[in-house]
Amino acid sequence: KQEVTQIPAALSVPEGENLVLNCSFTDSAIYNLQWFRQDPGKGLTSLLLIQSSQREQTSGRLNASLDKSSGRSTLYIAASQPGDSATYLCAVPQGSGTYKYIFGTGTRLKVLA
Amino acid sequence: GAVVSQHPSRVICKSGTSVKIECRSLDFQATTMFWYRQFPKQSLMLMATSNEGSKATYEQGVEKDKFLINHASLTLSTLTVTSAHPEDSSFYICSAGDWKTYEQYFGPGTRLTVT
């Protein structure tokens, strides 16, 4: 059974710092991994989607990497800003050939001005 | 990117009543949609898979008679919370999958409060 863990659970950093969020999954037979952002009381915003054949994806100040063999993904945020404060969730398919996603526990990020 | 909408965004209902939440894919056809619920400060938990033209598939522990799902068209799935109780108060989020990219697109969520 796929399990997804994110560390740290919470993170508070001063503005401008580069930071790394971690996501671990137990079943490496995934076809993609997605990173999402969730603001308080809001829905999910997709940040990056990494296909299983890819090692990383970049969008602006965000860079996500994927290492299937070790069951890990990292989300790198460069030059953090107060507007980056949110909960970040990673999600992987529950199994091959399915859309059913299992979500990580999330990392609550607070960037201090 | 693809857009998924939910209606209503917020709803307050009295205990014992039923509430219907709609999930629509606005610019693509979705044969499969998913319903999640999220309790405060917790992650999303998958409730059920909504399949167009057939019965929904429920996750273990989710009461299918309480959470009725209908996926009558390729762009609309509905979740009806029947005989709602305060413990059903939660944030409900739907998603739709794009078969071409296997990417999921999420709706903005519906905040249900049962008094």
Side-chain angles (χ1 to χ4, degrees), chain A residues 60-79:
Chain A
R61 294 182 293 108
L62 305 179
N63 176 278
S65 66
L66 175 63
D67 184 344
K68 282 182 57 178
S69 61
S70 65
R72 294 179 182 177
S73 176
T74 60
L75 179 66
Y76 175 82
I77 303 177

Side-chain angles (χ1 to χ4, degrees), chain A residues 1-6 23-26 33 90-93 102-106:
Chain A
K1 178 183 176 183
Q2 181 73 275
E3 294 182 1
V4 185
T5 305
Q6 290 184 246
C23 172
S24 301
F25 46 95
T26 55
L33 180 147
C90 67
V92 297
I102 301 297
F103 280 82
T105 45

Side-chain angles (χ1 to χ4, degrees), chain B:
Chain B
V3 177
V4 175
S5 69
Q6 278 185 245
H7 177 80
S9 57
R10 290 178 177 271
V11 57
I12 300 173
C13 70
K14 293 184 177 181
S15 186
T17 62
S18 295
V19 175
K20 179 185 287 187
I21 302 170
E22 294 185 348
C23 176
R24 294 181 185 273
S25 57
L26 299 183
D27 53 2
F28 70 105
Q29 294 182 332
T31 55
T32 304
M33 292 184 174
F34 298 90
W35 288 96
Y36 297 82
R37 70 185 296 181
Q38 184 179 35
F39 291 107
K41 297 187 178 181
Q42 294 189 24
S43 192
L44 279 71
M45 296 297 294
L46 179 65
M47 297 175 65
T49 303
S50 174
N51 303 298
E52 187 269 335
S54 64
K55 291 182 179 180
T57 305
Y58 291 82
E59 296 299 301
Q60 191 173 10
V62 178
E63 299 175 60
K64 62 180 181 180
D65 294 330
K66 180 169 188 61
F67 298 99
L68 301 180
I69 292 173
N70 183 278
H71 194 156
S73 77
L74 288 172
T75 59
L76 174 64
S77 174
T78 61
L79 169 68
T80 300
V81 183
T82 63
S83 186
H85 289 100
E87 57 264 33
D88 297 324
S89 298
S90 189
F91 194 52
Y92 292 87
I93 303 176
C94 71
S95 72
D98 183 339
W99 283 112
K100 295 178 183 177
T101 63
Y102 283 93
E103 185 168 2
Q104 282 207 32
Y105 299 96
F106 285 80
T110 296
R111 172 76 59 194
L112 170 63
T113 303
V114 184
T115 61

Side-chain angles (χ1 to χ4, degrees), chain A residues 5-6 17 22 26 33 36 46 50 54 63 68-69 72 84 90-92 94 99-102 107 112-113:
Chain A
T5 305
Q6 290 184 246
E17 275 203 8
N22 297 290
T26 55
L33 180 147
F36 297 90
S46 178
I50 310 176
Q54 299 172 322
N63 176 278
K68 282 182 57 178
S69 61
R72 294 179 182 177
D84 295 329
C90 67
V92 297
Q94 194 176 67
Y99 271 128
K100 294 167 66 172
Y101 268 54
I102 301 297
T107 295
L112 306 171

